[in-house]
Amino acid sequence: MPETMRDRDRLLARFLVSTEQMQQIESKIFAAGMPVAALMEKVGGLIARRFQILYPRTTHQRVGILVGMGHNGGDALVVARELYVRGYEIAIYVPSEQLSELTNQHYCYVSSLGVRIVDNVKDLTDCDVIIDGLFGFGLNREISGNLFEAIELVNKSQIPVVSIDLPSGIQADTGCVLGIAIKATVTLCLGIWKLAFIHEQAIAYLGRAELIDFDIPLADIQQILGKQPTITRMTADRAISNLPLPRSSITHKYHEGHLLLVVGSAQYSGAAILSSLGARATGIGMLSIAVPASLKPVLLNYLPEALIIGCPETEAGTIKSLPELDFNKYQAIACGCGLTERPSKVVKQILAANCPIVLDADALNIIAKLGTEISLSNRSQPTILTPHIGEFKRLFTKIPTTNKLGAASAATQASGAVILVKGARTVIAHNGRSIVIPDSTPALARGGSGDILTGLIGGLIATDRRADLDIAEVVATAAWWHSQAAILAATERSELGVDPLTLIHYLNTVISTDSNNLDCDI
Ligand SMILES: NC(=O)C1=CN([C@@H]2O[C@H](COP(=O)(O)OP(=O)(O)OC[C@H]3O[C@@H](n4cnc5c(N)ncnc54)[C@H](O)[C@@H]3O)[C@@H](O)[C@H]2O)[C@@H](O)CC1
Ligand SMILES: [K+]
């Protein structure tokens, strides 16, 4: 075996393909001798096996199957046959007149077995579960007519749906809905994750997404995607390998990084606390926190170990100026949470520091006013901008935001900064590469979550002493960690129970769980 199964799973989980790339990979497999029909048989068999685990016959006896004209429909017919011979009651609905050759062969054979073929999609509405094999990555135009009506009816029926490869109606590259799309309960993505899975507009249709590995040789994938693919997914093993763990047994606090946070105002003192607690979770060796002087006691109350720098403050309770600070002491600076937009001079001062800086929230609005490209043009060390989509629009007024992935790439190209665009699928772009955080939870949609992320990013950058430090990788690790902690907290406490202090508590819990369970949970 050329690769261990575990290494294969780990690598496969990182890849994302466009339709064109998938077709190129498929062509390589066929050119090497794999018969098209044999591959469909293999894939259909794997789907059928997974289906039987998800929906056993004992509880889901009646299965409706939607069959499209292309190979997605062919896969569905192989599944129909496999389930039929194992005792499921199958009803097949084929809305198209013309089937592709291989799909038609499967259709003829399945019909010859006596499987029930229905003329109307309404006849599937008494099924326990429906398998959607209408379209996969071959969907290339709006859905209309009886196909539209079939999808509409299935969506209204509330019957669980398992979509093969993609929910039919979702465009494989953009995640856009072409007219209408199946709202899947489970989507079994075939071979390699399609780009659609990382686009936010597809999320409501995907249900729970799983990858069905059908043994595409990694060499073929790597040949088409390149050794350093342009877009990848952040995964557990990848993120954990970037964490500052295990610590050297002879380390000391000055070896574990020194982060300066410049945060807070009388109005937003909580943001200062939360970003500081986020940084603390990274195990940072030394944490300095510059806040308006009046906030010192409250910060000390939460973080007795931190060096709190009380700054001169305005009447409004914002930082007026930074005291004399030697920026060379710090491995990173994170700035912006709860700052208000007043301290623009302070942000300008920080931009001159000769270390990586993370700018969030108010610091982003300040540099948007100063002019993003002008502000960042003289920086010799990495700058990390972490906008949500509203901040992004203010920062990069000329970049369209309909496609977040494209927007992040354009922004990094325009500014030279590492760009992290927050959302249900957070994207990190730098140097022509993008990393997507594939999982998150709406539990994070509440004030304070972003402040914690800023602290995490700053802390991880400051603790990372690798000579070949890939800054985008570290930023993506922080975003992955943040999402995973929220997912675990939401699982245990519901999506309503993930207040920021709870999230902070789960940050360290989730990585101890993940690093212990890596062998089984990829
Ligand atoms: N690439 C691979 O390695 C494999 C692919 N397989 C399956 O093959 C699928 C792709 O097959 P196809 O390329 O045949 O594509 P699809 O099965 O997605 O369908 C393409 C067909 O639908 C028609 N069509 C597209 N949009 C339409 C619309 N809006 N209304 C009506 N008709 C429309 C096209 O003209 C074409 O005939 C995958 O999603 C997967 O399910 C598997 O069988 C095996 C392995
Ligand atoms: K499908």
Side-chain angles (χ1 to χ4, degrees), residues 72 132 134-135 164 166 168:
N72 198 254
D132 155 36
L134 287 177
F135 297 107
I164 298 177
L166 289 150
S168 298

Side-chain angles (χ1 to χ4, degrees), residues 218-240:
L218 282 180
D220 287 344
I221 303 175
Q222 278 164 335
Q223 213 173 348
I224 299 300
L225 301 189
K227 281 273 173 230
Q228 288 256 305
T230 359
I231 309 170
T232 51
R233 301 166 82 246
M234 183 48 76
T235 56
D237 72 291
R238 181 174 170 184
I240 284 168

Side-chain angles (χ1 to χ4, degrees), residues 102-360:
L102 186 54
T103 304
N104 193 46
Q105 281 176 333
H106 282 299
Y107 177 74
C108 293
Y109 184 62
V110 166
S111 312
S112 79
L113 296 175
V115 176
R116 189 171 153 232
I117 314 275
V118 301
D119 294 330
N120 196 316
V121 68
K122 283 193 187 122
D123 295 328
L124 300 188
T125 50
D126 62 350
C127 289
D128 301 314
V129 52
I130 288 174
I131 295 177
D132 155 36
L134 287 177
F135 297 107
F137 60 65
L139 178 78
N140 54 16
R141 52 191 188 274
E142 293 261 319
I143 291 179
S144 58
N146 60 345
L147 282 156
F148 188 104
E149 283 156 23
I151 294 177
E152 194 174 39
L153 195 97
V154 168
N155 284 349
K156 274 191 191 144
S157 73
Q158 305 284 317
I159 300 169
V161 181
V162 177
S163 283
I164 298 177
D165 209 10
L166 289 150
S168 298
I170 296 293
Q171 208 282 331
D173 294 334
T174 62
C176 288
V177 176
L178 294 189
I180 191 168
I182 288 281
K183 288 206 162 169
T185 314
V186 177
T187 300
L188 301 177
C189 178
L190 304 178
I192 311 170
W193 290 108
K194 313 295 175 304
L195 282 170
F197 287 82
I198 57 162
H199 287 290
E200 287 174 4
Q201 59 266 36
I203 294 175
Y205 297 86
L206 298 170
R208 194 161 53 76
E210 291 184 19
L211 189 69
I212 300 284
D213 178 10
F214 61 87
D215 309 322
I216 301 172
L218 282 180
D220 287 344
I221 303 175
Q222 278 164 335
Q223 213 173 348
I224 299 300
L225 301 189
K227 281 273 173 230
Q228 288 256 305
T230 359
I231 309 170
T232 51
R233 301 166 82 246
M234 183 48 76
T235 56
D237 72 291
R238 181 174 170 184
I240 284 168
S241 72
N242 290 321
L243 292 176
L245 286 172
R247 280 185 159 194
S248 151
S249 43
I250 54 163
T251 191
H252 56 77
K253 62 186 174 188
Y254 297 113
H255 255 168
E256 297 301 330
H258 192 169
L259 172 71
L260 170 66
L261 283 167
V262 182
V263 286
S265 58
Q267 198 181 352
Y268 302 113
S269 51
I273 296 166
L274 294 172
S275 53
S276 305
L277 291 175
R280 175 202 250 178
T282 65
I284 187 86
M286 299 289 289
L287 181 59
S288 289
I289 312 169
V291 286
S294 60
L295 262 55
K296 214 173 159 174
V298 65
L299 261 291
L300 268 176
N301 201 23
Y302 276 93
L303 298 107
E305 78 279 18
L307 304 167
I308 314 289
I309 303 163
C311 302
E313 64 184 89
T314 62
E315 274 180 24
T318 61
I319 298 178
K320 193 174 189 178
S321 59
L322 286 180
E324 280 287 299
L325 288 177
D326 177 8
F327 286 149
N328 292 323
K329 280 200 309 205
Y330 310 112
Q331 276 71 57
I333 303 175
C335 169
C337 305
L339 208 60
T340 81
E341 287 181 33
R342 282 170 171 242
S344 59
K345 269 196 211 141
V346 172
V347 172
K348 274 192 206 162
Q349 231 179 311
I350 288 167
L351 285 171
N354 192 27
C355 66
I357 59 173
V358 186
L359 300 178
D360 184 34

